């Protein structure tokens, strides 16, 4: 008997506590920057596509919901010809982001992806690619990679020597 | 021998080095420069282990395991702290200049350098200076070059120059700057260049065709396959992704192709992805569906007068079902009559004779080789690679005498210098193997046959003698006989390439004469297509009989199986034949002149979409597995024919349901093909109740790759014909050797994981090398020598004897459709001797007009110092030069009935 009254009393007191629930969707939740929500493909500081089509995110994905096809432009820069994420399968584990060697794929604090038709949860590259560097500004994979691309020949990357002169035998 | 590894005793065979011994035992030691086929040079310093004097030695000394022979009761340590640290440091040094490229490197995921780096534990670059860079080269359509990734292991040049005889790849510059490439940009010429992609442990050389639709190894659906581009039947791995074939890689088979493939085999696959593939059935040029097709055909086939033409590039299964459908008497071989006869002759000699036909591996071990008439670099490339190794056998005795083990490559080379074992080559003109030959002989097939007969007679008096032999030839025959007689394992090679039964018979006589004294004699016949021998063993009539049957009105409906008749019969004959046919039904995967005239076209699967068995020139029956199921109406020819037969009410065919039923039927009803149902385990075979997965366990994208079409994943296709599954689910361990879809082992993602699948390094696969030999020689009976020695060749005035010239790129139908191979196909030409060119006032590239029968040909001239006078050669199988049965006499003077001439090839840019 006593315990029932105590419970009612405590419940009653809650009316005067600060509220934890918010009036979503009128009121938005404040999400931390590292919240693992919607996945995007970002761009490097030169606004080039960061993704180089290495397939590591796809391999890391435990539900295998990423598929892509790598291709390259006439100067040897690699990028995905298509890049597809089936969000109806995605578990937002963030492994893809961890696997990505170029900071291209990132999970962002946005979860508002509800759809009535499941097919609409299949996102293509057009839906994923954003015009921003996302959480990791400044990183440009091609600057540190050895591959030559348009605007960066051999030896012009960060931390690179001039290409070897094959005809020289000088010490 | 006993070897103590980290204090545990192991039994190991003698004569190996420590690295090989440890790898054979399943131990992991990182290595780079050592290659099982090329031996050790001790260049990379990666394979260090500790060796101890005895049990009491606590300190030990570091050695390179690839340079140290196994000694009985030796004590070594792989796990020793110093050894581990040493290996970690070595890889750290190798990596100081390595680019940050894995993400954009085609080697990634199957990279030996990645594997070895992880294995030795190095993970952070402590070197704070700049990275060395190199510029890359254009190396042609087959290979991509990215020199920054080189770790200076020297494997590429050792393979390309020393093993494959290439001239245009080398190492340049010095010290820390060495560069592996060509003297200048340009196409890598060697026929085996593609192997660099597998030999190089890094991403310096990678497959350029794979790059065009790049897929990581872990994302491919792979199946064990057989190369379809020559009669050697190399074992391959074919990989698919998103419905297209992505690459061909080597599938180790110790007996057939070992570690290597030729470029025709590696890059010929692109025809599978061609845009003009036949994908839907067509009746009278109009696309139709399955039901309409089957009902149409059953109407046609229920009337009498149906004949079937088989194919030397289709599987036994497809040929056999066609044979059953049309009846034994109405089944014809889709090859020229001369090819038909030569293949039958080869089968007859190898079955009824007493000489055994060796495997490629055994050719490699031969210590004397005599080649008659065949340019094997172009007709059976991997065999040529084996012959290249065979000339090292005899000089190797010097190394053995000096107590140098044969795996010690650098030391052996030092002793041997450029001494070579006996190799004799008798061909029409120069061949690439000439540089290794003890002596060469340039002649027409008649004269080559005469030389062969003379050698046989020199070996055994009972063999028929050759009349009127010139003094020079007698001396040469004696020399060859002498070399063969003293050899331990002599091998005679001949084949269908020069279209002469006399040459093949002469080769048989030589082999049989040798066999009397030396039971280890081998006799190899190369054929023109991947299943030439299989077709010959199945029996069937000549192609011309088919032509006659229709032209004479005995039949009016023909089913052509995977065959362009214009490649096997003269144009006028095929034209007349096809015109006389009321119904032409063609099953094929690619468009060609015959499909264009067909009334009914049925979309057949290529090797990648089919299961089948081929018989190679060794008489080895080998199975290729379907790599992927086609999304459209493409089916195996045999499956179509089964359905057609069932629909038409054929009682025998309607009882067969799948691959296995057909294979059983072949094994029971074709006497020469008994046992082919044992080539692979049956389709019910399971390991621990599981299928063998075609896809690696890291296969990605399964819930996404088709999500653009439908977000609900379809059920993966099931394979009714084999124990393989199309997914990554299934048994993860080692499958039976005939069904290995890909090589992988924990920690070994690259091709080097094949080590784990071998009984001993460089030896047979665990469970034996796949394939079943069907041709074994008669063990009893006496040798009957062939008689009928041809007259010596005499040149005729105003005439040229036209011979076929085979080209690795271009002479084979399917690979020639591959865009990468197409870039290497020679332009049409006619090869003339210097004297003939002078007498006709022709210079290089001038146009020679000549006439064969009613046909006029105009071809640019190439002049040769080697080809005999009165003979000319034209490339075989180029679409620009229509087929005519060669050798054939041509006249250089326009015949009288000029108005009936049909011009056949006239080059666009005439120089004269
Ligand atoms: S891991 Fe990053 S770079 Fe690689 S494919 Fe995925 S998004 Fe692109
Ligand atoms: S060679 Fe291997 S380690 Fe080097 S970049 Fe390529 S994948 Fe990475
Ligand atoms: S190119 Fe490759 S095979 Fe050649 S030395 Fe460099 S790493 Fe070795
Ligand atoms: S073409 Fe012949 S030699 Fe070349 S890979 Fe194929 S089977 Fe082997
Ligand atoms: S593998 Fe032994 S030194 Fe290179």
């Amino acid at each position: 008997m006593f315990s029932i009254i105590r419970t009612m009393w405590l419940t009653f007191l809650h009316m005067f506590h600060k509220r934890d629930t918010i009036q979503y969707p009128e009121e938005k939740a404040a999400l931390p920057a590292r919240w693992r929500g919607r996945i995007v493909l970002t761009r490097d500081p030169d606004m080039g596509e960061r993704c180089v089509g290495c397939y590591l995110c796809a391999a890391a994905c435990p539900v295998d919901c990423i598929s892509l096809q790598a291709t390259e432009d006439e100067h040897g820069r690699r990028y995905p010809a298509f890049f597809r994420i089936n969000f109806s399968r995605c578990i937002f584990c963030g492994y893809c982001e961890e696997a990505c060697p170029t900071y291209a794929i990132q999970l962002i604090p946005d979860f508002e992806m509800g759809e009535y038709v499941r097919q609409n949860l299949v996102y293509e590259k057009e839906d994923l690619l954003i015009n921003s560097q996302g959480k990791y500004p400044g990183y440009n994979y091609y600057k540190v990679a050895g591959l030559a691309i348009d605007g960066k020949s051999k030896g012009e990357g960060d931390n690179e020597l001039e290409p070897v002169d094959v005809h020289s035998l000088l010490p | 021998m006993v070897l103590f590894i980290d204090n545990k005793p192991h039994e190991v065979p003698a004569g190996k080095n420590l690295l090989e011994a440890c790898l054979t035992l399943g131990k992991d030691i990182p290595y780079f420069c050592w290659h099982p086929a090329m031996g050790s040079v001790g260049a990379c310093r990666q394979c260090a282990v500790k060796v101890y004097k005895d049990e009491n030695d606590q300190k030990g000394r570091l050695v390179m395991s690839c340079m140290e022979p196994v000694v009985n009761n030796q004590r070594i340590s792989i796990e020793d702290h110093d050894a581990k640290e040493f290996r970690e440091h070595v890889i750290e040094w190798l990596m100081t200049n390595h680019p940050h490229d894995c993400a954009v490197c085609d080697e990634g995921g199957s990279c030996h350098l990645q594997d070895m780096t992880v294995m030795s534990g190095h993970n952070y670059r402590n070197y704070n200076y700049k990275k060395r860079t190199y510029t890359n080269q254009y190396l042609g359509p087959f290979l991509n070059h990215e020199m920054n990734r080189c770790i200076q292991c020297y494997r590429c040049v050792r393979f390309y120059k020393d093993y494959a005889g290439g001239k245009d790849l080398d190492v340049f510059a010095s010290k820390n700057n060495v560069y592996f490439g060509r003297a200048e940009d340009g196409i890598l010429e060697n026929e085996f260049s593609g192997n660099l992609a597998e030999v190089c442990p890094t991403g310096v050389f990678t497959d350029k065709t794979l790059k065009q639709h790049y897929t990581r190894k872990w994302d491919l659906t792979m199946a064990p396959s057989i190369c379809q581009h020559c009669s050697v039947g190399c074992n391959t791995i074919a990989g698919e992704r998103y419905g297209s074939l992505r690459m061909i890689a080597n599938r180790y088979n110790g007996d057939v192709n070992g570690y290597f493939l030729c470029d025709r085999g590696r890059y010929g696959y692109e025809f599978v992805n061609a845009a003009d593939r036949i994908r839907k059935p067509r009746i009278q040029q109009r696309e139709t569906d399955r039901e309409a097709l089957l009902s149409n055909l059953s109407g046609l086939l229920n009337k009498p007068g149906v004949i079937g033409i088989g194919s030397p590039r289709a599987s036994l299964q497809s040929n056999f079902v066609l044979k059953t459908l049309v009846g034994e008497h109405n089944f014809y071989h889709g090859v020229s009559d001369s090819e038909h006869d030569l293949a039958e002759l080869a089968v007859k000699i190898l079955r009824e004779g007493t000489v055994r036909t060796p495997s490629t591996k055994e050719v490699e071990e031969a210590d004397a080789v005599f080649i008659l008439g065949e340019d094997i670099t172009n007709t059976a490339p991997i065999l040529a690679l084996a012959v290249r190794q065979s000339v090292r056998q005899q000089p190797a005795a010097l190394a053995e005498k000096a107590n140098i083990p044969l795996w010690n490559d650098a030391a052996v080379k030092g002793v041997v210098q450029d001494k070579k074992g006996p190799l004799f080559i008798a061909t029409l003109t120069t061949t690439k193997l000439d540089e290794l030959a003890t002596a060469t002989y340039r002649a027409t097939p008649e004269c080559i046959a005469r030389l062969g007969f003379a050698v046989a007679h020199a070996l055994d008096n009972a063999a028929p003698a050759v009349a009127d032999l010139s003094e020079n030839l007698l001396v040469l025959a004696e020399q060859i006989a002498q070399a063969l007689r003293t050899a331990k394992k002599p091998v005679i090679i001949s084949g269908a390439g020069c279209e002469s039964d006399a040459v093949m018979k002469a080769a048989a006589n030589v082999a049989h004469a040798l066999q009397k004294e030396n039971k280890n004699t081998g006799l190899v016949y190369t054929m023109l297509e991947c299943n030439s021998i299989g077709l010959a063993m199945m029996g069937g009539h000549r192609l011309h009989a088919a032509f006659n049957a229709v032209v004479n009105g005995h039949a009016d409906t023909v089913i052509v199986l995977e065959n362009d008749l214009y490649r096997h019969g003269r144009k006028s004959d095929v034209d007349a034949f096809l015109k006389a046919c009321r119904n032409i039904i063609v099953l094929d995967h690619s468009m060609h002149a015959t499909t264009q005239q067909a009334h009914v076209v049925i979309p057949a699967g290529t090797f990648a979409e089919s299961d089948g068995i081929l018989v190679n020139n060794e008489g080895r029956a080998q199975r290729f597995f379907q790599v992927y199921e086609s999304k459209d109406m493409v089916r195996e020819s045999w499956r179509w024919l089964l359905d057609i037969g069932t629909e038409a009410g054929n009682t025998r065919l309607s009882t067969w349901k799948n691959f296995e039923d057909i294979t059983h039927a072949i094994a029971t009803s074709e006497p020469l093909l008994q046992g082919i149902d044992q080539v692979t385990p049956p389709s019910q075979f399971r390991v621990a109740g599981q299928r063998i997965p075609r896809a690696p366990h890291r296969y990605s994208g399964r819930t996404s790759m088709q999500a653009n079409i439908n977000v609900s994943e379809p059920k993966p296709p099931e394979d009714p014909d084999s124990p393989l599954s199309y997914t990554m689910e299934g048994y993860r361990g080692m499958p039976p050797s005939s069904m290995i879809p890909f090589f992988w082992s924990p920690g070994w993602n690259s091709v080097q994981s094949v080590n784990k699948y071998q009984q001993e390094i460089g030896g047979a696969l665990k469970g034996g090398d796949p394939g079943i030999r069907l041709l074994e020689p008669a063990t009893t009976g006496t040798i009957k020598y062939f008689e009928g020695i041809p007259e010596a060749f005499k040149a005729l005035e105003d005439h040229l004897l036209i011979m076929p010239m085979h080209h690795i790129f271009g002479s084979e139908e399917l690979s020639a459709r591959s865009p990468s191979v197409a870039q290497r196909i020679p332009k049409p030409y006619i090869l003339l001797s210097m004297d003939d060119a002078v007498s006709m006032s022709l210079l290089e590239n001038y146009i020679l007009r000549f006439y064969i029968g009613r046909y006029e040909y105009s071809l640019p001239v190439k002049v040769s110092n080697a080809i005999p006078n009165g003979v000319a050669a034209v490339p075989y199988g180029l679409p620009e030069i229509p087929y005519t049965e060669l050798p054939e006499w041509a006249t250089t003077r326009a015949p009288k009935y000029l108005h009936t001439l049909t011009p056949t090839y006239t080059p666009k840019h005439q120089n004269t």
Side-chain angles (χ1 to χ4, degrees):
Chain A
M1 186 66 198
F2 171 75
S3 96
I4 292 174
I5 293 170
R6 180 176 173 270
T7 310
M8 287 170 70
W9 174 243
L10 287 175
T11 311
F12 175 76
L13 281 185
H14 267 289
M15 291 204 305
F16 307 102
H17 280 183
K18 187 173 172 286
R19 266 172 216 170
D20 279 337
T21 47
I22 55 167
Q23 292 303 314
Y24 181 81
E26 286 75 31
E27 202 181 319
K28 302 286 184 202
L31 299 176
R34 283 166 55 180
W35 170 274
R36 297 197 310 265
R38 187 163 69 94
I39 299 174
V40 293
L41 290 175
T42 60
R43 294 180 184 270
D44 63 28
D46 305 331
M47 284 295 122
E49 268 179 56
R50 255 184 183 155
C51 173
V52 298
C54 71
Y55 298 100
L56 286 178
C57 50
C61 178
V63 293
D64 284 345
C65 72
I66 304 180
S67 65
L68 66 145
Q69 175 60 55
T71 187
E72 63 178 41
D73 69 12
E74 65 271 36
H75 304 288
R77 183 181 175 120
R78 296 223 175 178
Y79 65 95
F82 77 83
F83 196 110
R84 184 179 307 131
I85 300 182
N86 178 356
F87 279 112
S88 77
R89 289 284 185 188
C90 179
I91 55 169
F92 300 94
C93 63
Y95 283 10
C96 50
E97 176 169 348
E98 242 173 80
C100 181
T102 68
Y103 291 143
I105 197 164
Q106 298 180 13
L107 281 77
I108 58 168
D110 171 18
F111 56 84
E112 295 175 320
M113 303 173 68
E115 293 283 353
Y116 287 105
V117 182
R118 189 177 157 208
Q119 185 69 44
N120 293 344
L121 285 168
V122 178
Y123 281 38
E124 299 289 339
K125 190 168 114 180
E126 305 81 85
D127 313 318
L128 297 165
L129 192 63
I130 60 168
N131 284 331
S132 149
Q133 303 182 47
K135 293 181 267 184
Y136 309 101
Y139 186 68
N140 192 339
Y141 173 76
Y142 281 108
K143 282 256 164 20
V144 291
L147 215 63
I149 54 161
D150 192 18
K152 191 205 95 177
S153 310
K154 293 282 171 192
E156 292 177 6
D158 292 353
N159 217 15
E160 279 187 350
L161 295 169
E162 283 281 290
V164 164
D165 175 7
V166 187
H167 301 289
S168 159
L169 294 176
L170 291 176
Chain B
M1 278 197 177
V2 179
L3 175 66
F4 290 87
I5 304 176
D6 293 310
N7 289 324
K8 285 205 193 71
H10 296 271
E11 192 58 43
V12 293
K16 302 272 167 197
N17 58 51
L18 285 176
L19 179 59
E20 285 173 311
C22 292
L23 291 173
T24 298
L25 291 169
K27 306 275 175 212
D28 289 342
I29 300 180
Y31 63 83
F32 289 114
C33 64
W34 168 81
H35 187 287
M38 293 181 278
S40 324
V41 286
C44 71
R45 319 314 281 171
Q46 186 58 60
C47 60
V49 296
K50 268 254 173 97
V51 171
Y52 302 93
K53 264 204 307 259
D54 47 43
E55 297 104 290
N56 307 322
D57 180 1
Q58 293 300 316
K59 204 145 169 273
R61 65 191 165 95
L62 279 178
V63 298
M64 293 309 123
S65 61
C66 70
M67 297 300 286
E68 205 77 6
V70 175
V71 181
N72 200 15
N73 287 325
Q74 194 172 18
R75 306 189 83 87
I76 69 166
S77 170
I78 302 172
E79 296 302 324
D80 176 81
H81 177 75
D82 293 345
K84 276 172 115 173
E85 200 178 57
F86 183 91
R87 297 196 296 257
E88 192 182 329
H89 280 311
V90 169
I91 212 146
E92 182 166 3
W93 295 323
L94 290 176
M95 290 294 237
T96 51
N97 286 308
H98 203 72
H100 189 60
D101 263 5
C102 292
V104 287
C105 176
D106 288 357
E107 197 82 355
S110 52
C111 175
H112 188 57
L113 178 59
Q114 279 180 336
D115 290 349
M116 296 301 103
T117 311
V118 173
M119 186 183 292
S120 39
H122 165 68
N123 51 27
Y124 203 81
R125 184 174 185 260
N126 293 311
Y127 178 78
N128 284 328
Y129 303 91
K130 293 193 167 184
K131 289 183 183 177
R132 174 194 61 208
T133 61
Y134 295 101
T135 47
N136 302 325
Q137 287 179 327
Y138 166 77
L139 298 177
F142 296 152
L143 285 170
N144 191 55
H145 193 220
E146 189 60 44
M147 225 345 255
N148 281 355
R149 299 171 188 154
C150 177
I151 55 163
Q152 289 80 33
C153 70
Y154 282 71
R155 267 185 169 196
C156 50
V157 282
R158 289 179 59 222
F159 169 76
Y160 196 86
K161 287 170 64 184
D162 303 350
Y163 196 88
K167 306 277 176 285
D168 56 338
L169 182 87
D170 221 320
V171 47
F172 301 93
S174 66
K175 54 191 173 42
N176 198 21
N177 285 343
V178 287
Y179 186 88
F180 296 83
R182 297 182 86 251
E184 52 190 16
D185 284 34
I187 291 172
L188 275 177
E189 280 158 11
N190 193 271
E191 294 76 17
F192 307 100
S193 66
N195 293 303
L196 290 175
E198 292 187 26
V199 165
C200 174
T202 74
V204 174
F205 298 103
T206 49
D207 181 337
K208 209 175 200 173
T209 64
L210 170 62
K211 190 175 196 239
Q212 281 150 21
H213 40 214
Y214 183 65
T215 310
R216 297 249 179 247
K217 177 178 174 183
W218 69 63
D219 276 343
L220 290 166
T221 302
M222 291 171 273
S225 196
I226 302 292
C227 177
Q228 313 276 316
H229 305 297
C230 90
S231 66
V232 176
C234 294
N235 292 203
T236 59
I237 290 170
E240 171 264 3
R241 177 86 180 173
Y242 301 133
S244 72
L245 193 62
R246 300 282 159 125
M247 58 110 217
I248 294 291
N250 177 271
R251 178 163 62 97
Y252 182 87
N253 181 328
D255 279 343
V256 182
N257 49 302
Y259 292 90
F260 307 113
L261 293 178
C262 80
D263 288 355
R264 184 199 269 183
R266 189 180 299 270
Y267 299 105
Y269 75 90
E270 289 177 295
F271 77 93
V272 173
N273 302 329
D276 65 345
R277 273 283 304 278
I278 302 167
R279 299 197 173 271
K280 293 233 170 70
R282 259 175 261 168
I283 299 179
Q284 305 286 8
Q285 316 292 344
R286 214 168 302 137
E287 281 184 2
T288 178
D289 60 12
R290 190 185 146 87
E291 282 62 41
L293 174 79
L294 290 182
S295 71
N296 181 303
L297 286 180
S298 74
L300 293 182
L301 299 184
N302 272 327
K303 299 194 192 92
V306 183
I307 60 168
I309 297 183
S311 168
R313 64 167 163 86
S315 64
L316 288 180
Q317 279 71 14
S318 297
N319 277 301
F320 183 73
V321 175
L322 177 62
K323 185 176 171 181
T324 314
L325 179 67
V326 296
E328 201 162 320
H329 301 297
N330 299 319
F331 179 69
Y332 301 85
H333 284 185
V335 296
S336 71
D337 292 1
S338 100
E339 239 175 85
H340 178 109
D341 295 347
L342 294 176
E344 277 190 350
L345 179 65
V347 172
K348 187 173 142 64
I349 293 172
L350 296 178
R351 282 190 64 240
E352 294 169 13
T354 51
V355 181
R356 190 172 169 279
T357 185
S359 65
T360 320
K361 172 89 181 168
E362 289 164 306
V363 172
E364 210 171 289
E365 289 160 359
D367 54 353
V369 178
F370 180 24
I371 302 176
L372 291 98
E374 196 75 13
D375 177 6
I376 52 174
T377 308
N378 287 302
T379 59
I382 281 294
L383 190 66
L385 193 63
V387 169
R388 281 190 178 273
Q389 314 318 314
S390 75
V391 299
R392 306 210 308 231
Q393 291 299 328
Q394 241 180 49
L398 292 172
E400 264 162 14
K401 218 190 277 162
N403 259 334
I404 298 171
L406 291 182
W407 47 257
N408 195 340
D409 194 45
V412 171
K413 288 220 171 72
V415 177
V416 168
Q417 298 293 333
D418 52 4
K419 292 186 201 68
K420 292 182 189 74
L423 166 65
F424 298 93
I425 303 179
T427 45
L428 182 69
T429 181
T430 41
T431 71
K432 273 211 166 176
L433 286 176
D434 291 355
E435 60 192 22
L436 304 174
T438 319
T440 59
Y441 175 54
R442 303 283 161 243
T444 60
E446 291 91 336
C447 295
I448 293 171
R450 285 166 65 83
L451 172 68
F453 282 112
V455 174
H457 180 72
L459 286 164
D460 177 11
N461 252 327
V466 184
D468 318 317
L469 209 59
S470 72
E471 190 57 34
N472 295 349
L473 268 194
L474 263 180
V475 174
L476 180 60
E478 240 343 296
Q479 185 194 359
I480 298 174
Q482 186 55 32
L484 293 176
R485 201 181 284 128
T486 48
K488 289 196 200 76
K489 296 178 187 166
V491 166
I492 315 300
I493 299 176
S494 178
C498 68
E499 309 270 352
S500 158
D501 62 334
V503 171
M504 283 176 55
K505 287 174 179 167
N509 274 12
V510 177
H512 283 106
L514 269 174
Q515 168 82 4
K516 277 196 171 170
E517 287 169 25
N518 184 348
K519 297 284 169 248
N520 289 323
T521 306
L523 173 61
V524 181
Y525 287 123
T526 64
M527 290 290 129
L528 295 182
E529 311 239 9
C530 58
N531 202 17
S532 294
I533 290 282
L535 193 61
M537 290 171 81
M538 185 174 279
H541 305 289
R542 286 193 180 77
L543 187 58
H544 259 99
F547 293 177
N548 291 339
V550 170
V551 175
N552 297 338
H554 302 308
D556 63 357
T557 299
V558 59
I559 307 179
V560 182
L561 170 71
E562 300 183 30
N563 203 329
D564 179 6
L565 299 178
Y566 287 94
R567 289 182 64 92
H568 300 283
R570 220 177 299 143
K571 184 167 184 309
S572 53
D573 294 349
V574 180
D575 279 343
F577 164 69
L578 292 180
K579 215 158 156 212
C581 290
R582 195 122 57 93
N583 304 297
I584 307 166
I585 303 157
V586 180
L587 294 105
D588 213 341
H589 38 73
S590 308
M591 286 305 285
H592 46 64
T594 310
T595 27
Q596 265 150 15
Q597 296 188 45
H599 303 119
V600 180
V601 180
I602 304 175
T606 62
F607 71 95
E609 295 130 339
S610 307
D611 285 275
I613 291 179
L614 304 175
V615 183
N616 77 353
N617 60 20
E618 184 200 347
R620 182 182 290 264
Q622 305 188 99
R623 167 150 184 202
F624 56 94
F625 289 80
Q626 188 170 39
V627 187
Y628 59 103
E629 274 211 340
S630 174
K631 293 266 169 321
D632 33 43
M633 293 180 69
V634 173
R635 295 287 173 273
E636 296 97 328
S637 292
W638 53 259
R639 204 182 295 277
W640 276 118
L641 289 167
L642 274 192
D643 291 352
I644 294 166
T646 309
E647 183 87 10
N650 184 311
T651 44
R652 197 157 176 224
L653 291 189
S654 38
T655 59
W656 301 341
K657 294 285 168 264
N658 52 30
F659 181 83
E660 208 121 297
D661 297 342
I662 304 171
T663 312
H664 274 301
I666 302 176
T668 44
S669 50
E670 292 288 346
L672 298 192
L673 297 171
Q674 267 173 33
I676 66 156
D677 46 351
Q678 309 296 321
V679 171
T680 55
S683 60
Q684 298 81 23
F685 176 89
R686 298 288 181 275
V687 190
Q690 292 178 301
R691 285 181 178 259
I692 293 151
R694 280 181 174 84
H697 64 282
R698 288 197 194 115
Y699 190 82
S700 78
R702 287 195 303 171
T703 63
S704 171
M705 47 201 293
Q706 298 189 39
N708 55 331
I709 304 164
N710 186 349
V711 68
S712 308
E713 295 88 39
K715 186 168 178 273
E718 260 171 50
D719 189 346
D721 303 308
S722 84
L724 270 52
S725 80
Y726 286 107
T727 61
M728 62 201 220
E729 276 88 19
Y731 179 64
R732 291 277 166 72
M734 202 164 293
S737 62
S738 58
M739 300 198 294
I740 301 174
F742 53 88
F743 294 109
W744 182 84
S745 176
W748 297 77
N749 299 293
S750 78
V751 283
Q752 316 274 336
S753 50
V754 69
N755 290 338
K756 305 278 179 192
Y757 289 72
Q758 295 165 329
Q759 288 169 10
E760 104 180 17
I761 300 301
L765 290 172
K766 287 182 179 153
D769 283 321
I772 289 186
R773 276 173 60 102
L774 299 173
L775 288 175
E776 294 298 347
T779 41
T780 53
T782 49
I783 303 154
K784 226 171 120 245
Y785 285 115
F786 285 105
E787 306 275 343
I789 301 169
E791 297 277 307
F793 171 77
K794 280 197 197 68
L796 297 182
E797 202 176 328
D798 291 335
H799 280 73
L800 287 168
L801 181 69
I802 309 287
M803 293 287 302
M805 265 297 254
H806 288 266
H807 285 276
I808 177 169
F809 306 120
S811 290
E812 193 272 332
E813 182 184 0
L814 301 180
S815 58
R817 293 171 173 268
S818 171
S820 60
V821 170
Q823 291 183 44
R824 302 285 308 273
I825 297 179
K827 294 257 171 313
Y829 64 84
I830 179 161
L831 188 73
L832 291 180
S833 77
M834 188 61 97
D835 291 349
D836 285 338
V838 168
S839 74
M840 287 185 274
S841 336
L842 291 167
L843 291 175
E844 191 96 7
N845 285 330
Y846 277 31
I847 304 298
L848 173 65
R849 185 160 301 160
F850 60 98
Y851 309 87
I852 303 177
R854 283 172 47 237
Y855 294 105
E856 180 197 89
Y857 293 78
S858 313
L859 292 173
V861 169
K862 266 200 194 176
V863 182
S864 152
N865 285 323
I867 194 169
N869 292 340
V871 196
V874 298
Y876 174 93
L878 296 197
E880 295 97 329
I881 308 178
Y883 181 85
T884 179
E885 215 160 279
L886 297 177
E888 183 68 82
W889 285 99
T891 129
T892 47
R893 237 193 244 153
K896 298 242 166 47
Y897 44 85
L898 195 59
H899 56 282
T900 65
L901 282 175
T902 327
T904 57
Y905 176 74
T906 315
K908 292 209 182 66
H909 310 284
Q910 302 204 350
N911 292 22
T912 43

